[in-house]
Amino acid sequence: MSAMSSNNWSRRSLFRAAAGMAAAGTLAACGSNNGRGGGSGSGKNLVQYFHAYGEAGTEQAIKKYAKAYTKANVTTQWITGDNFEQKLFAALLTDNAPDLFEFHPQIQLVKSGQVADLTDIISPVKDDFNQADIASHTVDGKIYGVRMIDDPQFFFYRPSLFEKAKVKVPTTLEELIEAGEKLTTSKVKGLFLGNDLTPLERPLIWAAGADTLNEKNEIAYHTDAVVDGLKQLRKVFTSGNLLLGAPADWWDPSAITQGLCAIQWCGMWAMPVMQKALGDDIGIFPFPKVGSAGKPSVYNGGWSMFVNAKGKNVDAAKEFVKWLWIDQKEYQEDWSTSYGFHIPPRTSLAASATKLKTGLPAEGVKLFTDYGHFDNIGWTQAMIAAWDDVMANVVRKNGDPEAALDACDKKVNAELKKLFG
């Protein structure tokens, strides 16, 4: 799951998650963050940028993989704080730009010549990747970026609290709002949807039977059902049943594990921490349908590895990406399932990952398969920021949804014209 356009991280945008992956559980015990002291290789020096994942052990794992590579010295900049995107994009403009970096597929990176074409290294194993991941990284038949993990997001809930309040698992947005009301007590809020509600933007659009953009790269989100969904979220926001200003944001499971809420929007990465804290008293359900034409939705965030096409060592960086994210299946599975649960983008690994075969993780995989939506490479950071404004103006400030969407349309259309003519 996370992000682009310099103001975006400060606004804690969805992307931070789309990103999705950020912090689940205790923060990793970080060693030195200077990124020096990488691989045991000879020859080229390569630098890779990662955002600071929340799951313990992740930094050590990424550095361990790099150290095992013998054809180059690979050092890792482990970027802490909420401004990974700002630091990454600032660095890409300098002589100290990383050779490779993790991010999400966004077409402006391709159009500006920032990311290298990786078709040659991915093509031989293309059929072993989730085809939706291949599609979300493809422009004009060329593949840019290798998906490392898929990160489905959904609602987590406490079955014991549902039983006590005689609440059934919601299948519509109205039912979710009712559940939030019935589950709210003097000590526990019914719902936690993130401190600024931005993670719900795309799930809401899809659950209303709409989309961000259509196949012709035209606006597809401005529908009556989406307007109705925004009005309903405004109702939730003012109901008193919503946890606001939680100690950590939606991507961290602490709101539900500490008993602050009965239902929390979060990602599959946080399952191990929740299970450790709550045992069997945790369940999941997708974003429920909005309106009669809607259907449940799950956002599949995740992170991908890109090669800086403007870097000094493009071929060496591509060789390392191929070695780690295409050839080293053991490391790929370790990365997906040892530090939090993520779905491996490689279908062979997803099929063999034992930790995802039973219980709650298996339910998560099923929701991912049945209701999942992936990144659209044409939905850029500027568009995400425009939708953040809709959420702020309508849900948090009681603005008119049509007026807010009209303003959003202007910004999105200007961006589409710039990108697609």
Side-chain angles (χ1 to χ4, degrees):
M1 267 186 188
S2 40
M4 269 176 171
S5 129
S6 50
N7 62 351
N8 237 43
W9 277 82
S10 55
R11 303 155 65 112
R12 306 219 295 266
S13 86
L14 164 61
F15 229 107
R16 177 155 91 187
M21 221 186 127
T26 51
L27 284 172
C30 293
S32 96
N33 283 325
N34 61 13
R36 295 186 194 94
S40 54
S42 55
K44 299 274 186 196
N45 292 315
L46 297 174
V47 175
Q48 59 179 354
Y49 269 30
F50 275 78
H51 84 287
Y53 285 67
E55 300 92 321
T58 46
E59 181 182 13
Q60 292 82 352
I62 283 295
K63 290 181 175 176
K64 178 183 83 175
Y65 310 152
K67 198 172 180 185
Y69 187 61
T70 55
K71 291 188 178 174
N73 292 299
V74 183
T75 57
T76 304
Q77 290 279 2
W78 191 255
I79 313 288
T80 56
D82 285 347
N83 54 352
F84 171 69
E85 169 259 329
Q86 287 177 355
K87 288 177 180 171
L88 169 64
F89 282 83
L92 287 172
L93 299 172
T94 70
D95 290 340
N96 294 321
D99 299 286
L100 51 156
F101 57 91
E102 65 168 359
F103 209 66
H104 319 282
Q106 293 205 351
I107 200 165
Q108 74 274 26
L109 290 171
V110 176
K111 297 261 185 185
S112 65
Q114 187 69 69
V115 292
D117 174 6
L118 304 184
T119 313
D120 56 336
I121 64 172
I122 298 171
S123 279
V125 292
K126 184 176 160 187
D127 293 345
D128 188 41
F129 272 86
N130 184 317
Q131 292 306 295
D133 278 321
I134 294 291
S136 70
H137 290 69
T138 300
V139 177
D140 296 332
K142 292 176 180 174
I143 307 166
Y144 299 85
V146 181
R147 195 61 146 185
M148 300 181 292
I149 41 174
D150 282 323
D151 278 327
Q153 300 165 25
F154 18 66
F155 284 110
F156 289 80
Y157 73 99
R158 299 277 304 277
S160 63
L161 299 179
F162 272 48
E163 210 175 310
K164 200 172 160 189
K166 296 184 170 58
V167 169
K168 286 187 179 140
V169 173
T171 59
T172 66
L173 187 52
E174 287 93 339
E175 287 174 10
L176 179 68
I177 294 169
E178 283 168 32
E181 193 166 347
K182 287 180 185 168
L183 291 160
T184 298
T185 67
S186 58
K187 296 192 175 92
V188 180
K189 291 291 186 186
L191 295 160
F192 178 48
L193 309 177
N195 285 333
D196 62 7
L197 279 71
T198 55
L200 301 186
E201 290 167 2
R202 279 176 274 184
L204 171 76
I205 291 168
W206 296 318
D211 207 342
T212 49
L213 303 172
N214 64 21
E215 284 173 6
K216 295 177 181 171
N217 289 310
E218 299 161 338
I219 287 170
Y221 58 77
H222 195 153
T223 69
D224 292 345
V226 170
V227 167
D228 188 50
L230 285 166
K231 287 177 180 169
Q232 289 186 66
L233 284 183
R234 171 65 188 170
K235 196 173 155 187
V236 179
F237 187 76
T238 55
S239 66
N241 305 324
L242 199 59
L243 175 64
L244 296 167
D249 214 338
W250 67 277
W251 36 258
D252 184 294
S254 57
I256 199 163
T257 59
Q258 292 173 16
L260 303 178
C261 62
I263 302 172
Q264 175 179 345
W265 184 261
C266 197
M268 187 160 145
W269 58 84
M271 272 182 191
V273 172
M274 292 188 194
Q275 289 179 310
K276 195 176 172 189
L278 302 168
D280 289 338
D281 191 22
I282 191 77
I284 55 174
F285 61 92
F287 195 103
K289 71 175 196 166
V290 179
S292 54
K295 51 182 137 183
S297 76
V298 167
Y299 173 46
N300 293 326
W303 291 88
S304 308
M305 186 50 61
F306 297 91
V307 169
N308 178 10
K310 298 175 180 178
K312 299 180 187 85
N313 302 303
V314 175
D315 290 339
K318 280 176 68 171
E319 205 174 333
F320 173 65
V321 169
K322 179 185 182 298
W323 175 82
L324 178 52
W325 299 111
I326 290 175
D327 299 340
Q328 303 301 314
K329 282 194 164 190
E330 191 187 329
Y331 288 155
Q332 292 160 35
E333 182 168 359
D334 180 63
W335 187 236
S336 286
T337 61
S338 296
Y339 314 95
F341 294 148
H342 315 271
I343 298 174
R346 301 287 288 273
T347 47
S348 58
L349 286 180
S352 66
T354 47
K355 290 180 183 176
L356 306 182
K357 281 189 190 301
T358 56
L360 202 61
E363 284 182 50
V365 172
K366 185 165 174 22
L367 292 184
F368 166 90
T369 306
D370 292 351
Y371 305 119
H373 293 264
F374 288 71
D375 286 315
N376 179 335
I377 198 167
W379 189 248
T380 67
Q381 211 54 32
M383 298 177 197
I384 290 163
W387 244 94
D388 288 349
D389 290 342
V390 172
M391 206 56 118
N393 292 331
V394 177
V395 179
R396 306 214 306 275
K397 297 179 189 159
N398 200 28
D400 173 51
E402 285 289 357
L405 286 172
D406 286 344
C408 181
D409 291 351
K410 271 187 189 160
K411 292 175 192 165
V412 172
N413 277 325
E415 184 79 353
L416 288 170
K417 194 171 180 197
K418 208 161 54 182
L419 293 167
F420 301 106

